[in-house]
PDB file of all heavy atoms in Angstrom:
ATOM      1  N   LEU E 114       2.614  12.933   3.463  1.00  0.00           N
ATOM      2  CA  LEU E 114       3.835  13.262   2.720  1.00  0.00           C
ATOM      3  C   LEU E 114       4.972  12.330   3.122  1.00  0.00           C
ATOM      4  O   LEU E 114       5.753  11.898   2.279  1.00  0.00           O
ATOM      5  CB  LEU E 114       4.248  14.708   2.987  1.00  0.00           C
ATOM      6  CG  LEU E 114       3.613  15.817   2.160  1.00  0.00           C
ATOM      7  CD1 LEU E 114       4.139  17.164   2.633  1.00  0.00           C
ATOM      8  CD2 LEU E 114       3.888  15.635   0.681  1.00  0.00           C
ATOM      9  N   TYR E 115       5.056  12.042   4.408  1.00  0.00           N
ATOM     10  CA  TYR E 115       6.151  11.219   4.917  1.00  0.00           C
ATOM     11  C   TYR E 115       5.967   9.748   4.549  1.00  0.00           C
ATOM     12  O   TYR E 115       6.922   9.073   4.152  1.00  0.00           O
ATOM     13  CB  TYR E 115       6.239  11.379   6.434  1.00  0.00           C
ATOM     14  CG  TYR E 115       7.477  10.776   7.042  1.00  0.00           C
ATOM     15  CD1 TYR E 115       8.681  11.480   7.047  1.00  0.00           C
ATOM     16  CD2 TYR E 115       7.457   9.515   7.624  1.00  0.00           C
ATOM     17  CE1 TYR E 115       9.823  10.936   7.617  1.00  0.00           C
ATOM     18  CE2 TYR E 115       8.590   8.963   8.183  1.00  0.00           C
ATOM     19  CZ  TYR E 115       9.773   9.672   8.176  1.00  0.00           C
ATOM     20  OH  TYR E 115      10.913   9.130   8.727  1.00  0.00           O
ATOM     21  N   SER E 116       4.738   9.261   4.676  1.00  0.00           N
ATOM     22  CA  SER E 116       4.504   7.826   4.500  1.00  0.00           C
ATOM     23  C   SER E 116       4.165   7.433   3.070  1.00  0.00           C
ATOM     24  O   SER E 116       4.369   6.284   2.677  1.00  0.00           O
ATOM     25  CB  SER E 116       3.375   7.364   5.425  1.00  0.00           C
ATOM     26  OG  SER E 116       2.162   8.017   5.107  1.00  0.00           O
ATOM     27  N   ARG E 117       3.656   8.392   2.264  1.00  0.00           N
ATOM     28  CA  ARG E 117       3.246   8.067   0.896  1.00  0.00           C
ATOM     29  C   ARG E 117       3.680   9.170  -0.077  1.00  0.00           C
ATOM     30  O   ARG E 117       2.834   9.811  -0.702  1.00  0.00           O
ATOM     31  CB  ARG E 117       1.732   7.874   0.831  1.00  0.00           C
ATOM     32  CG  ARG E 117       1.226   6.695   1.640  1.00  0.00           C
ATOM     33  CD  ARG E 117      -0.286   6.755   1.785  1.00  0.00           C
ATOM     34  NE  ARG E 117      -0.957   6.706   0.491  1.00  0.00           N
ATOM     35  CZ  ARG E 117      -1.304   5.581  -0.120  1.00  0.00           C
ATOM     36  NH1 ARG E 117      -1.014   4.421   0.439  1.00  0.00           N
ATOM     37  NH2 ARG E 117      -1.934   5.609  -1.259  1.00  0.00           N
ATOM     38  N   PRO E 118       4.971   9.415  -0.188  1.00  0.00           N
ATOM     39  CA  PRO E 118       5.423  10.458  -1.128  1.00  0.00           C
ATOM     40  C   PRO E 118       5.007  10.126  -2.555  1.00  0.00           C
ATOM     41  O   PRO E 118       5.113   8.969  -2.989  1.00  0.00           O
ATOM     42  CB  PRO E 118       6.947  10.456  -0.966  1.00  0.00           C
ATOM     43  CG  PRO E 118       7.269   9.107  -0.401  1.00  0.00           C
ATOM     44  CD  PRO E 118       6.104   8.713   0.450  1.00  0.00           C
ATOM     45  N   LYS E 119       4.560  11.144  -3.276  1.00  0.00           N
ATOM     46  CA  LYS E 119       3.995  10.926  -4.613  1.00  0.00           C
ATOM     47  C   LYS E 119       5.059  10.583  -5.639  1.00  0.00           C
ATOM     48  O   LYS E 119       4.807   9.882  -6.617  1.00  0.00           O
ATOM     49  CB  LYS E 119       3.236  12.179  -5.051  1.00  0.00           C
ATOM     50  CG  LYS E 119       2.541  12.072  -6.380  1.00  0.00           C
ATOM     51  CD  LYS E 119       1.819  13.373  -6.724  1.00  0.00           C
ATOM     52  CE  LYS E 119       1.170  13.301  -8.098  1.00  0.00           C
ATOM     53  NZ  LYS E 119       0.505  14.588  -8.453  1.00  0.00           N
ATOM     54  N   ASN E 120       6.268  11.103  -5.456  1.00  0.00           N
ATOM     55  CA  ASN E 120       7.320  10.843  -6.439  1.00  0.00           C
ATOM     56  C   ASN E 120       8.689  10.820  -5.757  1.00  0.00           C
ATOM     57  O   ASN E 120       8.800  11.060  -4.548  1.00  0.00           O
ATOM     58  CB  ASN E 120       7.284  11.876  -7.571  1.00  0.00           C
ATOM     59  CG  ASN E 120       7.387  13.306  -7.059  1.00  0.00           C
ATOM     60  OD1 ASN E 120       8.143  13.600  -6.148  1.00  0.00           O
ATOM     61  ND2 ASN E 120       6.607  14.206  -7.659  1.00  0.00           N
ATOM     62  N   ARG E 121       9.697  10.545  -6.553  1.00  0.00           N
ATOM     63  CA  ARG E 121      11.057  10.394  -6.014  1.00  0.00           C
ATOM     64  C   ARG E 121      11.550  11.694  -5.390  1.00  0.00           C
ATOM     65  O   ARG E 121      12.218  11.671  -4.351  1.00  0.00           O
ATOM     66  CB  ARG E 121      11.992   9.939  -7.130  1.00  0.00           C
ATOM     67  CG  ARG E 121      13.440   9.836  -6.680  1.00  0.00           C
ATOM     68  CD  ARG E 121      14.351   9.255  -7.721  1.00  0.00           C
ATOM     69  NE  ARG E 121      15.741   9.353  -7.273  1.00  0.00           N
ATOM     70  CZ  ARG E 121      16.695   8.510  -7.586  1.00  0.00           C
ATOM     71  NH1 ARG E 121      16.419   7.474  -8.358  1.00  0.00           N
ATOM     72  NH2 ARG E 121      17.922   8.673  -7.143  1.00  0.00           N
ATOM     73  N   PHE E 122      11.212  12.847  -5.974  1.00  0.00           N
ATOM     74  CA  PHE E 122      11.684  14.110  -5.418  1.00  0.00           C
ATOM     75  C   PHE E 122      11.139  14.319  -4.008  1.00  0.00           C
ATOM     76  O   PHE E 122      11.880  14.644  -3.080  1.00  0.00           O
ATOM     77  CB  PHE E 122      11.293  15.291  -6.303  1.00  0.00           C
ATOM     78  CG  PHE E 122      11.638  16.611  -5.669  1.00  0.00           C
ATOM     79  CD1 PHE E 122      12.937  17.089  -5.705  1.00  0.00           C
ATOM     80  CD2 PHE E 122      10.681  17.349  -4.992  1.00  0.00           C
ATOM     81  CE1 PHE E 122      13.284  18.278  -5.077  1.00  0.00           C
ATOM     82  CE2 PHE E 122      11.011  18.536  -4.364  1.00  0.00           C
ATOM     83  CZ  PHE E 122      12.310  19.005  -4.413  1.00  0.00           C
ATOM     84  N   VAL E 123       9.838  14.148  -3.844  1.00  0.00           N
ATOM     85  CA  VAL E 123       9.227  14.346  -2.525  1.00  0.00           C
ATOM     86  C   VAL E 123       9.812  13.354  -1.531  1.00  0.00           C
ATOM     87  O   VAL E 123      10.109  13.699  -0.380  1.00  0.00           O
ATOM     88  CB  VAL E 123       7.698  14.204  -2.611  1.00  0.00           C
ATOM     89  CG1 VAL E 123       7.072  14.300  -1.221  1.00  0.00           C
ATOM     90  CG2 VAL E 123       7.103  15.270  -3.530  1.00  0.00           C
ATOM     91  N   ALA E 124      10.009  12.111  -1.954  1.00  0.00           N
ATOM     92  CA  ALA E 124      10.568  11.085  -1.082  1.00  0.00           C
ATOM     93  C   ALA E 124      11.949  11.483  -0.568  1.00  0.00           C
ATOM     94  O   ALA E 124      12.274  11.295   0.605  1.00  0.00           O
ATOM     95  CB  ALA E 124      10.650   9.755  -1.819  1.00  0.00           C
ATOM     96  N   GLY E 125      12.772  12.042  -1.446  1.00  0.00           N
ATOM     97  CA  GLY E 125      14.121  12.414  -1.059  1.00  0.00           C
ATOM     98  C   GLY E 125      14.196  13.720  -0.292  1.00  0.00           C
ATOM     99  O   GLY E 125      15.133  13.947   0.471  1.00  0.00           O
ATOM    100  N   PHE E 126      13.191  14.587  -0.477  1.00  0.00           N
ATOM    101  CA  PHE E 126      13.232  15.907   0.170  1.00  0.00           C
ATOM    102  C   PHE E 126      12.613  15.885   1.557  1.00  0.00           C
ATOM    103  O   PHE E 126      13.088  16.549   2.474  1.00  0.00           O
ATOM    104  CB  PHE E 126      12.517  16.942  -0.704  1.00  0.00           C
ATOM    105  CG  PHE E 126      12.657  18.345  -0.188  1.00  0.00           C
ATOM    106  CD1 PHE E 126      13.826  19.059  -0.400  1.00  0.00           C
ATOM    107  CD2 PHE E 126      11.638  18.949   0.531  1.00  0.00           C
ATOM    108  CE1 PHE E 126      13.980  20.342   0.101  1.00  0.00           C
ATOM    109  CE2 PHE E 126      11.767  20.230   1.025  1.00  0.00           C
ATOM    110  CZ  PHE E 126      12.943  20.937   0.809  1.00  0.00           C
ATOM    111  N   ILE E 127      11.530  15.142   1.721  1.00  0.00           N
ATOM    112  CA  ILE E 127      10.820  15.118   3.001  1.00  0.00           C
ATOM    113  C   ILE E 127      11.396  14.040   3.902  1.00  0.00           C
ATOM    114  O   ILE E 127      11.500  12.878   3.527  1.00  0.00           O
ATOM    115  CB  ILE E 127       9.308  14.880   2.778  1.00  0.00           C
ATOM    116  CG1 ILE E 127       8.690  16.068   2.025  1.00  0.00           C
ATOM    117  CG2 ILE E 127       8.597  14.637   4.100  1.00  0.00           C
ATOM    118  CD1 ILE E 127       8.718  17.380   2.774  1.00  0.00           C
ATOM    119  N   GLY E 128      11.727  14.435   5.116  1.00  0.00           N
ATOM    120  CA  GLY E 128      12.303  13.504   6.083  1.00  0.00           C
ATOM    121  C   GLY E 128      13.731  13.883   6.430  1.00  0.00           C
ATOM    122  O   GLY E 128      14.504  14.291   5.559  1.00  0.00           O
ATOM    123  N   SER E 129      14.072  13.786   7.712  1.00  0.00           N
ATOM    124  CA  SER E 129      15.435  14.097   8.150  1.00  0.00           C
ATOM    125  C   SER E 129      15.875  13.049   9.167  1.00  0.00           C
ATOM    126  O   SER E 129      15.263  12.923  10.239  1.00  0.00           O
ATOM    127  CB  SER E 129      15.494  15.489   8.780  1.00  0.00           C
ATOM    128  OG  SER E 129      16.796  15.799   9.203  1.00  0.00           O
ATOM    129  N   PRO E 130      16.893  12.261   8.821  1.00  0.00           N
ATOM    130  CA  PRO E 130      17.675  12.292   7.583  1.00  0.00           C
ATOM    131  C   PRO E 130      16.847  11.813   6.396  1.00  0.00           C
ATOM    132  O   PRO E 130      15.765  11.263   6.556  1.00  0.00           O
ATOM    133  CB  PRO E 130      18.840  11.354   7.873  1.00  0.00           C
ATOM    134  CG  PRO E 130      18.295  10.398   8.879  1.00  0.00           C
ATOM    135  CD  PRO E 130      17.360  11.203   9.742  1.00  0.00           C
ATOM    136  N   ALA E 131      17.394  12.046   5.215  1.00  0.00           N
ATOM    137  CA  ALA E 131      16.658  11.752   3.994  1.00  0.00           C
ATOM    138  C   ALA E 131      16.468  10.250   3.786  1.00  0.00           C
ATOM    139  O   ALA E 131      17.225   9.422   4.300  1.00  0.00           O
ATOM    140  CB  ALA E 131      17.395  12.345   2.791  1.00  0.00           C
ATOM    141  N   MET E 132      15.438   9.934   3.009  1.00  0.00           N
ATOM    142  CA  MET E 132      15.194   8.548   2.618  1.00  0.00           C
ATOM    143  C   MET E 132      16.360   8.027   1.780  1.00  0.00           C
ATOM    144  O   MET E 132      16.933   8.758   0.966  1.00  0.00           O
ATOM    145  CB  MET E 132      13.895   8.482   1.800  1.00  0.00           C
ATOM    146  CG  MET E 132      13.514   7.093   1.331  1.00  0.00           C
ATOM    147  SD  MET E 132      12.048   7.083   0.261  1.00  0.00           S
ATOM    148  CE  MET E 132      10.746   7.450   1.431  1.00  0.00           C
ATOM    149  N   ASN E 133      16.727   6.770   1.987  1.00  0.00           N
ATOM    150  CA  ASN E 133      17.684   6.115   1.095  1.00  0.00           C
ATOM    151  C   ASN E 133      16.990   5.848  -0.240  1.00  0.00           C
ATOM    152  O   ASN E 133      15.917   5.233  -0.273  1.00  0.00           O
ATOM    153  CB  ASN E 133      18.135   4.775   1.692  1.00  0.00           C
ATOM    154  CG  ASN E 133      18.938   4.945   2.971  1.00  0.00           C
ATOM    155  OD1 ASN E 133      20.057   5.431   2.948  1.00  0.00           O
ATOM    156  ND2 ASN E 133      18.347   4.551   4.096  1.00  0.00           N
ATOM    157  N   LEU E 134      17.557   6.313  -1.323  1.00  0.00           N
ATOM    158  CA  LEU E 134      17.009   6.096  -2.658  1.00  0.00           C
ATOM    159  C   LEU E 134      18.029   5.288  -3.454  1.00  0.00           C
ATOM    160  O   LEU E 134      19.145   5.752  -3.703  1.00  0.00           O
ATOM    161  CB  LEU E 134      16.704   7.426  -3.340  1.00  0.00           C
ATOM    162  CG  LEU E 134      15.590   8.257  -2.689  1.00  0.00           C
ATOM    163  CD1 LEU E 134      15.508   9.640  -3.320  1.00  0.00           C
ATOM    164  CD2 LEU E 134      14.247   7.541  -2.792  1.00  0.00           C
ATOM    165  N   ILE E 135      17.636   4.082  -3.857  1.00  0.00           N
ATOM    166  CA  ILE E 135      18.572   3.135  -4.473  1.00  0.00           C
ATOM    167  C   ILE E 135      18.053   2.726  -5.838  1.00  0.00           C
ATOM    168  O   ILE E 135      16.915   2.245  -5.960  1.00  0.00           O
ATOM    169  CB  ILE E 135      18.744   1.886  -3.583  1.00  0.00           C
ATOM    170  CG1 ILE E 135      19.215   2.300  -2.174  1.00  0.00           C
ATOM    171  CG2 ILE E 135      19.712   0.901  -4.204  1.00  0.00           C
ATOM    172  CD1 ILE E 135      18.312   1.865  -1.064  1.00  0.00           C
ATOM    173  N   ASP E 136      18.858   2.929  -6.867  1.00  0.00           N
ATOM    174  CA  ASP E 136      18.473   2.530  -8.223  1.00  0.00           C
ATOM    175  C   ASP E 136      18.569   1.007  -8.361  1.00  0.00           C
ATOM    176  O   ASP E 136      19.543   0.385  -7.910  1.00  0.00           O
ATOM    177  CB  ASP E 136      19.389   3.193  -9.253  1.00  0.00           C
ATOM    178  CG  ASP E 136      19.176   4.703  -9.322  1.00  0.00           C
ATOM    179  OD1 ASP E 136      18.047   5.144  -9.037  1.00  0.00           O
ATOM    180  OD2 ASP E 136      20.130   5.424  -9.656  1.00  0.00           O
ATOM    181  N   VAL E 137      17.554   0.414  -8.983  1.00  0.00           N
ATOM    182  CA  VAL E 137      17.541  -1.031  -9.204  1.00  0.00           C
ATOM    183  C   VAL E 137      17.082  -1.304 -10.634  1.00  0.00           C
ATOM    184  O   VAL E 137      16.279  -0.558 -11.186  1.00  0.00           O
ATOM    185  CB  VAL E 137      16.602  -1.759  -8.217  1.00  0.00           C
ATOM    186  CG1 VAL E 137      17.125  -1.664  -6.808  1.00  0.00           C
ATOM    187  CG2 VAL E 137      15.188  -1.204  -8.303  1.00  0.00           C
ATOM    188  N   ASP E 138      17.626  -2.340 -11.219  1.00  0.00           N
ATOM    189  CA  ASP E 138      17.188  -2.769 -12.556  1.00  0.00           C
ATOM    190  C   ASP E 138      16.140  -3.853 -12.386  1.00  0.00           C
ATOM    191  O   ASP E 138      16.388  -4.875 -11.730  1.00  0.00           O
ATOM    192  CB  ASP E 138      18.376  -3.315 -13.368  1.00  0.00           C
ATOM    193  CG  ASP E 138      19.306  -2.208 -13.811  1.00  0.00           C
ATOM    194  OD1 ASP E 138      18.800  -1.146 -14.210  1.00  0.00           O
ATOM    195  OD2 ASP E 138      20.536  -2.405 -13.754  1.00  0.00           O
ATOM    196  N   VAL E 139      14.967  -3.616 -12.963  1.00  0.00           N
ATOM    197  CA  VAL E 139      13.913  -4.621 -12.944  1.00  0.00           C
ATOM    198  C   VAL E 139      13.888  -5.292 -14.301  1.00  0.00           C
ATOM    199  O   VAL E 139      13.630  -4.657 -15.323  1.00  0.00           O
ATOM    200  CB  VAL E 139      12.545  -3.989 -12.641  1.00  0.00           C
ATOM    201  CG1 VAL E 139      11.437  -5.036 -12.729  1.00  0.00           C
ATOM    202  CG2 VAL E 139      12.554  -3.370 -11.247  1.00  0.00           C
ATOM    203  N   SER E 140      14.186  -6.592 -14.308  1.00  0.00           N
ATOM    204  CA  SER E 140      14.219  -7.351 -15.564  1.00  0.00           C
ATOM    205  C   SER E 140      12.913  -8.129 -15.708  1.00  0.00           C
ATOM    206  O   SER E 140      11.948  -7.918 -14.976  1.00  0.00           O
ATOM    207  CB  SER E 140      15.420  -8.296 -15.577  1.00  0.00           C
ATOM    208  OG  SER E 140      15.356  -9.170 -14.470  1.00  0.00           O
ATOM    209  N   GLY E 141      12.883  -9.040 -16.648  1.00  0.00           N
ATOM    210  CA  GLY E 141      11.669  -9.795 -16.919  1.00  0.00           C
ATOM    211  C   GLY E 141      11.191 -10.621 -15.756  1.00  0.00           C
ATOM    212  O   GLY E 141      10.000 -10.895 -15.619  1.00  0.00           O
ATOM    213  N   ASP E 142      12.114 -11.048 -14.867  1.00  0.00           N
ATOM    214  CA  ASP E 142      11.670 -11.867 -13.740  1.00  0.00           C
ATOM    215  C   ASP E 142      11.191 -11.015 -12.562  1.00  0.00           C
ATOM    216  O   ASP E 142      10.841 -11.531 -11.508  1.00  0.00           O
ATOM    217  CB  ASP E 142      12.794 -12.790 -13.273  1.00  0.00           C
ATOM    218  CG  ASP E 142      14.030 -12.005 -12.827  1.00  0.00           C
ATOM    219  OD1 ASP E 142      13.972 -10.754 -12.786  1.00  0.00           O
ATOM    220  OD2 ASP E 142      15.038 -12.655 -12.511  1.00  0.00           O
ATOM    221  N   ARG E 143      11.185  -9.672 -12.767  1.00  0.00           N
ATOM    222  CA  ARG E 143      10.697  -8.730 -11.771  1.00  0.00           C
ATOM    223  C   ARG E 143      11.484  -8.781 -10.457  1.00  0.00           C
ATOM    224  O   ARG E 143      10.981  -8.385  -9.407  1.00  0.00           O
ATOM    225  CB  ARG E 143       9.207  -8.974 -11.453  1.00  0.00           C
ATOM    226  CG  ARG E 143       8.285  -8.869 -12.649  1.00  0.00           C
ATOM    227  CD  ARG E 143       8.201  -7.409 -13.134  1.00  0.00           C
ATOM    228  NE  ARG E 143       7.101  -7.240 -14.070  1.00  0.00           N
ATOM    229  CZ  ARG E 143       7.196  -7.331 -15.386  1.00  0.00           C
ATOM    230  NH1 ARG E 143       8.370  -7.633 -15.907  1.00  0.00           N
ATOM    231  NH2 ARG E 143       6.157  -7.136 -16.177  1.00  0.00           N
ATOM    232  N   GLY E 144      12.702  -9.272 -10.505  1.00  0.00           N
ATOM    233  CA  GLY E 144      13.477  -9.377  -9.278  1.00  0.00           C
ATOM    234  C   GLY E 144      13.897  -8.012  -8.756  1.00  0.00           C
ATOM    235  O   GLY E 144      14.387  -7.177  -9.507  1.00  0.00           O
ATOM    236  N   LEU E 145      13.704  -7.799  -7.463  1.00  0.00           N
ATOM    237  CA  LEU E 145      14.112  -6.552  -6.809  1.00  0.00           C
ATOM    238  C   LEU E 145      15.006  -6.905  -5.635  1.00  0.00           C
ATOM    239  O   LEU E 145      14.576  -7.594  -4.699  1.00  0.00           O
ATOM    240  CB  LEU E 145      12.889  -5.784  -6.294  1.00  0.00           C
ATOM    241  CG  LEU E 145      12.179  -4.817  -7.247  1.00  0.00           C
ATOM    242  CD1 LEU E 145      11.019  -4.153  -6.528  1.00  0.00           C
ATOM    243  CD2 LEU E 145      13.135  -3.771  -7.763  1.00  0.00           C
ATOM    244  N   LYS E 146      16.248  -6.414  -5.683  1.00  0.00           N
ATOM    245  CA  LYS E 146      17.177  -6.718  -4.599  1.00  0.00           C
ATOM    246  C   LYS E 146      17.947  -5.472  -4.175  1.00  0.00           C
ATOM    247  O   LYS E 146      18.276  -4.615  -5.000  1.00  0.00           O
ATOM    248  CB  LYS E 146      18.178  -7.798  -5.036  1.00  0.00           C
ATOM    249  CG  LYS E 146      17.590  -9.208  -5.080  1.00  0.00           C
ATOM    250  CD  LYS E 146      18.672 -10.232  -5.387  1.00  0.00           C
ATOM    251  CE  LYS E 146      18.113 -11.653  -5.320  1.00  0.00           C
ATOM    252  NZ  LYS E 146      17.733 -12.027  -3.931  1.00  0.00           N
ATOM    253  N   LEU E 147      18.207  -5.389  -2.866  1.00  0.00           N
ATOM    254  CA  LEU E 147      19.130  -4.409  -2.313  1.00  0.00           C
ATOM    255  C   LEU E 147      20.320  -5.205  -1.809  1.00  0.00           C
ATOM    256  O   LEU E 147      20.219  -5.918  -0.798  1.00  0.00           O
ATOM    257  CB  LEU E 147      18.485  -3.628  -1.183  1.00  0.00           C
ATOM    258  CG  LEU E 147      19.431  -2.733  -0.357  1.00  0.00           C
ATOM    259  CD1 LEU E 147      20.084  -1.673  -1.235  1.00  0.00           C
ATOM    260  CD2 LEU E 147      18.698  -2.101   0.810  1.00  0.00           C
ATOM    261  N   GLY E 148      21.439  -5.117  -2.515  1.00  0.00           N
ATOM    262  CA  GLY E 148      22.558  -5.990  -2.197  1.00  0.00           C
ATOM    263  C   GLY E 148      22.132  -7.433  -2.367  1.00  0.00           C
ATOM    264  O   GLY E 148      21.678  -7.848  -3.434  1.00  0.00           O
ATOM    265  N   ASP E 149      22.229  -8.220  -1.292  1.00  0.00           N
ATOM    266  CA  ASP E 149      21.803  -9.620  -1.320  1.00  0.00           C
ATOM    267  C   ASP E 149      20.353  -9.807  -0.877  1.00  0.00           C
ATOM    268  O   ASP E 149      19.850 -10.926  -0.848  1.00  0.00           O
ATOM    269  CB  ASP E 149      22.698 -10.455  -0.392  1.00  0.00           C
ATOM    270  CG  ASP E 149      24.139 -10.459  -0.863  1.00  0.00           C
ATOM    271  OD1 ASP E 149      24.361 -10.249  -2.072  1.00  0.00           O
ATOM    272  OD2 ASP E 149      25.032 -10.658  -0.018  1.00  0.00           O
ATOM    273  N   LEU E 150      19.672  -8.703  -0.503  1.00  0.00           N
ATOM    274  CA  LEU E 150      18.344  -8.807   0.088  1.00  0.00           C
ATOM    275  C   LEU E 150      17.231  -8.676  -0.950  1.00  0.00           C
ATOM    276  O   LEU E 150      17.298  -7.811  -1.839  1.00  0.00           O
ATOM    277  CB  LEU E 150      18.135  -7.678   1.115  1.00  0.00           C
ATOM    278  CG  LEU E 150      18.818  -7.786   2.473  1.00  0.00           C
ATOM    279  CD1 LEU E 150      18.575  -6.514   3.259  1.00  0.00           C
ATOM    280  CD2 LEU E 150      18.299  -8.983   3.241  1.00  0.00           C
ATOM    281  N   ASP E 151      16.211  -9.494  -0.827  1.00  0.00           N
ATOM    282  CA  ASP E 151      14.987  -9.271  -1.580  1.00  0.00           C
ATOM    283  C   ASP E 151      14.269  -8.069  -0.978  1.00  0.00           C
ATOM    284  O   ASP E 151      14.116  -7.972   0.250  1.00  0.00           O
ATOM    285  CB  ASP E 151      14.065 -10.496  -1.505  1.00  0.00           C
ATOM    286  CG  ASP E 151      14.627 -11.685  -2.285  1.00  0.00           C
ATOM    287  OD1 ASP E 151      15.226 -11.446  -3.351  1.00  0.00           O
ATOM    288  OD2 ASP E 151      14.463 -12.822  -1.817  1.00  0.00           O
ATOM    289  N   VAL E 152      13.846  -7.141  -1.837  1.00  0.00           N
ATOM    290  CA  VAL E 152      13.172  -5.938  -1.357  1.00  0.00           C
ATOM    291  C   VAL E 152      11.711  -6.264  -1.053  1.00  0.00           C
ATOM    292  O   VAL E 152      10.975  -6.702  -1.942  1.00  0.00           O
ATOM    293  CB  VAL E 152      13.255  -4.810  -2.400  1.00  0.00           C
ATOM    294  CG1 VAL E 152      12.462  -3.594  -1.928  1.00  0.00           C
ATOM    295  CG2 VAL E 152      14.714  -4.424  -2.648  1.00  0.00           C
ATOM    296  N   PRO E 153      11.253  -6.070   0.192  1.00  0.00           N
ATOM    297  CA  PRO E 153       9.853  -6.354   0.517  1.00  0.00           C
ATOM    298  C   PRO E 153       8.949  -5.242  -0.005  1.00  0.00           C
ATOM    299  O   PRO E 153       9.226  -4.053   0.190  1.00  0.00           O
ATOM    300  CB  PRO E 153       9.847  -6.392   2.050  1.00  0.00           C
ATOM    301  CG  PRO E 153      10.973  -5.497   2.455  1.00  0.00           C
ATOM    302  CD  PRO E 153      12.019  -5.613   1.374  1.00  0.00           C
ATOM    303  N   LEU E 154       7.863  -5.614  -0.690  1.00  0.00           N
ATOM    304  CA  LEU E 154       6.906  -4.659  -1.226  1.00  0.00           C
ATOM    305  C   LEU E 154       5.520  -4.980  -0.680  1.00  0.00           C
ATOM    306  O   LEU E 154       5.192  -6.142  -0.425  1.00  0.00           O
ATOM    307  CB  LEU E 154       6.881  -4.727  -2.752  1.00  0.00           C
ATOM    308  CG  LEU E 154       8.189  -4.429  -3.487  1.00  0.00           C
ATOM    309  CD1 LEU E 154       8.015  -4.654  -4.980  1.00  0.00           C
ATOM    310  CD2 LEU E 154       8.667  -3.005  -3.213  1.00  0.00           C
ATOM    311  N   SER E 155       4.705  -3.941  -0.507  1.00  0.00           N
ATOM    312  CA  SER E 155       3.320  -4.175  -0.103  1.00  0.00           C
ATOM    313  C   SER E 155       2.597  -4.910  -1.234  1.00  0.00           C
ATOM    314  O   SER E 155       3.022  -4.856  -2.398  1.00  0.00           O
ATOM    315  CB  SER E 155       2.626  -2.852   0.189  1.00  0.00           C
ATOM    316  OG  SER E 155       2.446  -2.116  -1.006  1.00  0.00           O
TER     317      SER E 155
END
């Protein structure tokens, strides 16, 4: 539950303090950024 939450609700509910949940727009170039940072994905 902690490491692989199935959806956004579980991700935000499980864990103390809560997971940071940040809305991002994914455009055609598939760019994902948090502020100036590229978001690392598996």
Side-chain angles (χ1 to χ4, degrees):
L114 275 178
Y115 190 83
S116 62
R117 296 167 61 88
K119 183 180 177 182
N120 56 40
R121 177 174 173 149
F122 174 79
V123 176
F126 187 78
I127 295 296
S129 180
M132 180 185 289
N133 294 291
L134 294 172
I135 303 122
D136 292 331
V137 293
D138 287 319
V139 176
S140 58
D142 60 5
R143 301 291 193 267
L145 273 181
K146 285 186 175 293
L147 170 61
D149 297 335
L150 285 175
D151 290 323
V152 176
L154 300 175
S155 69

